[in-house]
């Protein structure tokens, strides 16, 4: 399981009956369990070996507390993540979905659900639950087996790619759409053709990239060398060439989000990870925070976490007065302002990810990070050069 970063999970939530004017949507990232059945080398979660689960009374308090709050929009997506969600019994979700539906009805809100999963535990019974409840799906897969199995292993160091692809096959056979998330390591950057063609060959139509980054208990990155940015740019440039060859068979998140920013340049960007109340994060104990989901596991220098309340004990709206919320909000805002004043790429990210800033520097009130340089800025530069070649026009961020 990997970090969401700037809402990195590509979770498709089917909404055929959605109104033309979509109401404000709030993302709630929920941790049903700390446990993950895999042991990925870059994982940021510190307690993924523990089989700690959300208790029923916590579940009820979370659903009621979230869906009754004035801080939450009319449309709410519950994304089950921060551990492997399918490690929980299916009965947990039957109860969770019913509890959420009752609370949503009481408080006049619409609720959808999503799983961000490694897909290794999928079977026919899970597919039936997903289809009946129209659960949005995001699958973590790092490309072909020779790349994926280097880093996404079992607890005994064994390969997992075949199990992931069995799960992917079950979703595809059932006609259940999903988006993929891939974590790019230094090894991945050496194999752009094999990486891209894997998604084409397996009919995976949407993919987004995270990079191997310093986060949580992952204290080093394979992309920490001086040439990492240049290598990433070469990798992405080759992917764009492959995408042209395959006539856009795979929708790459990094391309369409930044192309949209180019097309609608001039507007003030909204970065949901550094603005409060777009995302709420709830751990298995009911501790709640806003901003980046990765901060659920973070600890400051004094050992204190970033919980901004607990839904078992307090209404969500009391977060407004919580000292941790106020302190984090102000420090994040200072960092966003630095980005606005100093960075030519402001329109493409709106101030960066607080989790990257914190895990790299121990602070939120800073601007550029390594993740920003290697991933965001390099992506924009490659895309601009690609468009310049195609159009013969001079473009600038």
């Amino acid at each position: 399981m990997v970090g969401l970063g700037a809402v990195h999970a590509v979770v498709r939530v089917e909404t055929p009956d959605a109104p033309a004017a979509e109401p404000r949507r709030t993302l709630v990232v929920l941790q049903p369990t700390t446990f993950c059945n895999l042991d990925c080398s870059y994982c940021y979660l510190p307690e993924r070996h523990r089989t700690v689960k959300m208790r029923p009374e916590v579940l009820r308090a979370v659903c009621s507390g979230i869906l009754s709050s004035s801080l939450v929009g009319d449309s709410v997506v519950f994304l089950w993540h921060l551990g492997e969600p399918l490690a929980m019994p299916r009965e947990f979700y039957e109860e969770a979905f019913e509890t959420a539906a009752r609370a949503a009805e009481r408080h006049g809100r619409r609720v959808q659900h999503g799983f961000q999963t490694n897909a290794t535990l999928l079977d026919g019974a899970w597919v039936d639950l997903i289809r009946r409840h129209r659960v949005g799906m995001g699958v973590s897969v790092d490309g072909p087996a020779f790349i994926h199995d280097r880093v996404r292993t079992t607890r005994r160091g064994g390969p997992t790619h075949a199990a992931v692809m069995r799960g992917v096959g079950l979703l595809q056979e059932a006609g259940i759409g999903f988006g993929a998330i891939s974590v790019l390591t230094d090894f991945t950057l050496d194999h752009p053709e094999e990486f891209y063609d894997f998604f084409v060959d397996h009919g995976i139509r949407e993919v987004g990239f995270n990079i191997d980054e310093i986060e949580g208990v992952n204290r080093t990155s394979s992309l920490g060398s001086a040439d990492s940015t240049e290598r990433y740019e070469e990798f992405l440039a080759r992917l764009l060439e492959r995408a042209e060859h395959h006539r856009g068979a795979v929708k790459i998140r990094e391309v369409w989000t930044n192309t949209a920013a180019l097309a609608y340049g001039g507007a003030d960007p909204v970065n949901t990870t550094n603005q409060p109340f777009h995302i709420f994060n709830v751990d298995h104990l009911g501790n709640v925070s806003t901003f980046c989901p990765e901060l659920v596991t973070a600890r400051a220098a004094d050992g204190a976490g970033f919980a901004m309340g607990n839904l078992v004990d307090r209404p969500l709206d009391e977060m407004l007065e919580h000292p941790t919320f106020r302190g984090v909000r102000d420090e994040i805002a200072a960092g966003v302002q630095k980005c606005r004043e100093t960075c030519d790429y402001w329109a493409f990210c709106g101030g960066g990810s607080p989790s990257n800033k914190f895990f790299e520097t121990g602070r939120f009130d800073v601007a550029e990070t390594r993740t920003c340089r290697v991933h965001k800025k390099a992506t924009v530069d490659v895309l601009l050069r690609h468009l310049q070649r195609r159009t013969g026009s001079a473009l600038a961020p």
Side-chain angles (χ1 to χ4, degrees), residues 30-32 53-67 78 80 88 91-100 102-103 106 113 282-286 311-312:
L30 296 162
Q31 182 183 54
K53 302 175 181 179
M54 182 179 285
R55 301 189 311 275
E57 62 270 25
V58 175
L59 170 64
R60 292 190 291 270
V62 167
C63 290
S64 176
I66 290 290
L67 295 170
F78 281 177
W80 301 89
M88 292 290 282
E91 293 74 18
F92 171 85
Y93 293 107
E94 297 284 7
E95 179 182 354
F97 296 167
E98 178 60 29
T99 301
R102 289 197 301 266
R106 286 197 306 272
H113 296 273
V282 186
D283 73 9
H284 67 285
L285 296 173
L311 294 175
V312 177

Side-chain angles (χ1 to χ4, degrees), residues 22 70 115 138 140 176 181 193 223 291 304 307 343 363 367:
E22 185 71 20
S70 64
F115 291 145
S140 300
I176 297 171
I181 278 291
E193 290 84 3
L223 299 177
F291 305 112
C343 185
R363 303 188 61 84

